[in-house]
Amino acid sequence: MKKSLLLLLAILNVITLFSQNSLVVNLDSTGTKINKEIYGHFSEHLGTCIYEGIYVGKDSDIPNINGYRKDVVEAFKEMKVPVLRWPGGCFADTYHWKDGIGPKEDRPSIVNVFWGGVTEDNSFGTHEFLDFCELIGTEPYLSINVGSGTVQEAMEWVEYVTSYSQSPMTELRKKNGREDPWDVKFFGIGNENWGCGGDMDPVYYANLFRNYSSYIRGNDIQKVICGPSGGDTNWTETILKTLNNKKNLAQGLSMHYYTLPTGSWTGSKGTSIDFGEDMYFATLRNTIYVDDIINKHLAVMDKYDPEGNIKLIVDEWGTWYDQLPGTKDGFLQQQNTVRDALVAGINLNIFNNHADRISMANVAQIVNVLQSPILTRGKEMVKTPTYYIFKMYNVHQDANLVPVKLTTEDYSYNGESIPAVTASASEKDEIISMTLTNANPGKDITIDCSLGKDFKITNAQIVTSKNYTDYNDFGQDEKVFISDFKAGKIKNKKLSLKIPAHSVVLVQMK
Ligand code: AHR
């Protein structure tokens, strides 16, 4: 019996853990690629995300490259930003792209109606965004205005940015200083059209989508449907039914899911700093819930698109807390603690494990807004705990998913329980990378793993800090960062991992 079990394990070439917390890593079943775009970001004309966060203009005394902050450019390159969504968000469905091209002094100013009512001078437009993507080596993902735009306007934008043909739009682009088109593959057709993007019902939107999609053309273009808010499967179902499985109309369906500690959009959402274990637990509970939501939408998608041609794109996710005291209304400024590192690690593990159907995800937002990897204040810049998770996890980008089967003890608080550990694994260039989170703030968790062969740990890292409320602040030494993780050992083909309380770890083996 024992022999045949060992034989079975050898055949499957699995790594098995025999403890309360066990992880079976199936090395024979790799094949699904973890699209690098799962590690994507989102930038919106909101608060200080674009202006101050990314773009300060050439004349600024903040060191810059053609107006883009030098410190931020370097940080993004180091973190690796595979795809960047722009210009919104709710802003996108108020945005008329022709306002943001040509000489800056001729560009009209508009009011940013959704975000603080501030004046938008359009000095950061199509050229500034797409040139920025080239500078940091990222794929652009443009969000097209459906709520207050026209099909003609959308069609012309696509032509302006992607076409080599001779046409009024390509001539205009050349006149504005860009000879060749940029490489733009991803186009979102509308944003939250069930809400800020025009308050539409799903049948109306789906028919509009069909209309827009017919005129947005190009060989490599991927068109993304505005999908549901959170668990609204009725939106997903009605849209897919109305699209009637028409081939090539859409390659992606977006979904937005934010983690609010209290779960309330109307009252307090919870604070980003100075919180207790009740809010810590609730935040992680509400994060893990995204897995259920994804499974529900995938079940609907399987019904209408059994071949899986349309992928799920989680193009807005992350924590959403009350704005920091003293900050401007509508700017969505918050801090970022070890709790956010766990939120990022958990979400990314979940997305990795759905790599067969999730092709992209974009954390909201890349600088100074909601769960940002980077915060800026004047000349200063801070790398948040979320930054370090993205940096540590970038080994999974375009690696092959290694399916894992995890058995974990619970982390319980006040009569409620969530899984204490989440995990995902991938393989690239014969290196196995495993990322694990331990949500329990009061307990280190040990996982013992019997390996089928002689792996050696090549790299092990951890993101944590003394308290789960710790964060990195301006003008102070960093408290939360990546350090070497020494609590993992392989001995006699056995891997033993002791994952410290409230931490996220990476273990790489060869
Ligand atoms: O990310 C902030 C806002 O959240 C976006 O503009 C909108 O799409 C969502 O409601």
Side-chain angles (χ1 to χ4, degrees):
M1 174 67 183
K2 216 174 175 186
K3 262 190 184 166
S4 61
L5 182 64
L6 284 173
L7 191 64
L8 183 65
L9 290 178
I11 290 168
L12 290 173
N13 192 14
V14 294
I15 303 166
T16 308
L17 301 159
F18 299 98
S19 69
Q20 189 192 1
N21 304 297
S22 72
L23 189 70
V24 178
V25 182
N26 190 347
L27 294 171
D28 272 356
S29 169
T30 59
T32 303
K33 192 171 83 167
I34 299 176
N35 267 354
K36 63 181 191 314
E37 286 82 13
I38 284 182
Y39 289 81
H41 294 261
F42 168 36
S43 57
E44 180 167 10
H45 289 243
L46 192 175
T48 53
C49 180
I50 301 292
Y51 304 109
E52 291 185 39
I54 291 176
Y55 191 69
V56 287
K58 287 181 190 159
D59 299 333
S60 170
D61 57 358
I62 297 175
N64 67 81
I65 308 163
N66 279 336
Y68 310 111
R69 285 183 76 117
K70 211 161 173 259
D71 50 359
V72 168
V73 166
E74 277 160 16
F76 286 168
K77 283 188 178 168
E78 183 184 289
M79 179 175 71
K80 291 195 179 148
V81 179
V83 62
L84 186 59
R85 181 171 178 247
W86 176 85
C90 297
F91 179 77
D93 283 74
T94 66
Y95 185 62
H96 300 283
W97 69 272
K98 282 185 188 161
D99 291 348
I101 56 169
K104 290 192 198 252
E105 60 279 11
D106 296 343
R107 298 186 191 179
S109 288
I110 58 164
V111 178
N112 190 332
V113 288
F114 283 108
W115 307 117
V118 295
T119 298
E120 163 63 58
D121 70 1
N122 280 305
S123 56
F124 188 95
T126 299
H127 288 249
E128 288 76 17
F129 174 68
L130 295 176
D131 290 350
F132 179 65
C133 289
E134 287 186 343
L135 179 66
I136 62 166
T138 192
E139 298 264 8
Y141 172 16
L142 296 180
S143 202
I144 283 175
N145 179 351
V146 170
S148 69
T150 62
V151 176
Q152 171 83 12
E153 190 182 4
M155 205 173 132
E156 289 182 343
W157 200 17
V158 176
E159 193 177 304
Y160 188 91
V161 299
T162 65
S163 177
Y164 279 97
S165 306
Q166 193 180 339
S167 75
M169 285 306 112
T170 57
E171 289 306 310
L172 183 59
R173 182 188 72 221
K174 288 176 194 171
K175 190 174 143 225
N176 288 332
R178 175 80 186 196
E179 187 64 27
D180 287 337
W182 294 270
D183 185 12
V184 190
K185 284 196 211 41
F186 303 109
F187 289 90
I189 301 186
N191 171 75
E192 298 196 350
N193 302 95
W194 37 262
C196 66
D199 200 12
M200 301 174 189
D201 78 34
V203 174
Y204 180 76
Y205 168 75
N207 284 314
L208 259 186
F209 177 87
R210 286 168 64 154
N211 189 194
Y212 271 76
S213 180
S214 318
Y215 294 99
I216 293 173
R217 308 178 80 89
N219 286 340
D220 288 333
I221 283 182
Q222 300 207 12
K223 291 174 271 189
V224 181
I225 310 166
C226 162
S229 165
D232 182 1
T233 48
N234 177 52
W235 178 272
T236 304
E237 176 131 28
T238 312
I239 298 285
L240 294 178
K241 204 189 284 172
T242 313
L243 293 190
N244 200 14
N245 204 14
K246 291 219 168 161
K247 295 279 176 237
N248 300 326
L249 269 187
Q251 288 68 43
L253 174 96
S254 80
M255 172 188 130
H256 291 179
Y257 179 72
Y258 283 100
T259 299
L260 279 60
T262 62
S264 162
W265 284 104
T266 45
S268 166
K269 300 176 182 70
T271 56
S272 60
I273 51 173
D274 299 331
F275 51 89
E277 192 172 349
D278 53 345
M279 286 296 114
Y280 171 84
F281 177 87
T283 306
L284 301 187
R285 179 198 61 208
N286 295 352
T287 297
I288 284 180
Y289 179 53
V290 76
D291 201 23
D292 287 352
I293 291 179
I294 289 168
N295 287 326
K296 281 185 189 141
H297 290 298
L298 289 181
V300 176
M301 291 167 76
D302 284 346
K303 193 164 127 196
Y304 291 93
D305 172 35
E307 288 157 11
N309 293 321
I310 301 178
K311 304 290 183 204
L312 188 64
I313 291 184
V314 189
D315 62 16
E316 288 186 29
W317 68 268
T319 50
W320 192 320
Y321 306 118
D322 298 338
Q323 67 187 64
L324 281 170
T327 60
K328 193 168 164 44
D329 284 353
F331 274 31
L332 312 186
Q333 279 178 274
Q334 60 189 44
Q335 249 300 350
N336 198 295
T337 65
V338 170
R339 173 178 62 170
D340 294 87
L342 278 145
V343 169
I346 291 168
N347 270 302
L348 293 170
N349 280 341
I350 291 172
F351 301 155
N352 283 348
N353 289 329
H354 283 289
D356 58 333
R357 295 303 302 278
I358 295 184
S359 62
M360 191 198 292
N362 309 75
V363 67
Q365 296 191 4
I366 195 161
V367 193
N368 290 338
V369 173
L370 301 174
Q371 192 179 345
S372 303
I374 296 287
L375 300 175
T376 65
R377 188 179 69 184
K379 285 185 176 168
E380 295 173 283
M381 186 193 81
V382 156
K383 293 176 178 169
T384 69
T386 297
Y387 177 91
Y388 287 115
I389 297 303
F390 271 89
K391 186 173 174 214
M392 192 168 81
Y393 272 54
N394 71 23
V395 294
H396 290 308
Q397 291 191 18
D398 278 346
N400 296 312
L401 176 73
V402 176
V404 294
K405 186 159 178 3
L406 173 72
T407 308
T408 164
E409 65 187 64
D410 281 340
Y411 157 42
S412 303
Y413 178 81
N414 212 12
E416 280 190 272
S417 297
I418 57 171
V421 176
T422 69
S424 68
S426 68
E427 179 277 330
K428 196 182 197 175
D429 301 330
E430 295 180 0
I431 293 181
I432 308 295
S433 302
M434 286 169 38
T435 44
L436 300 104
T437 60
N438 174 8
N440 195 322
K443 187 180 172 196
D444 302 348
I445 291 183
T446 299
I447 292 183
D448 291 315
C449 174
S450 285
L451 306 176
K453 63 183 223 190
D454 266 328
F455 281 103
K456 278 203 168 53
I457 294 180
T458 54
N459 178 33
Q461 298 179 340
I462 184 165
V463 175
T464 191
S465 188
K466 190 160 173 258
N467 307 303
Y468 54 73
T469 48
D470 285 349
Y471 57 95
N472 298 332
D473 208 354
F474 297 103
Q476 291 180 18
D477 288 345
E478 280 192 331
K479 286 188 178 159
V480 194
F481 44 84
I482 299 176
S483 40
D484 287 347
F485 174 47
K486 304 236 168 50
K489 282 193 233 103
I490 297 178
K491 204 172 164 199
N492 299 330
K493 300 183 184 173
K494 281 200 168 116
L495 168 68
S496 170
L497 286 180
K498 189 171 173 198
I499 313 170
H502 59 256
S503 72
V504 184
V505 300
L506 163 73
V507 179
Q508 293 190 286
M509 300 175 296
K510 194 168 172 146

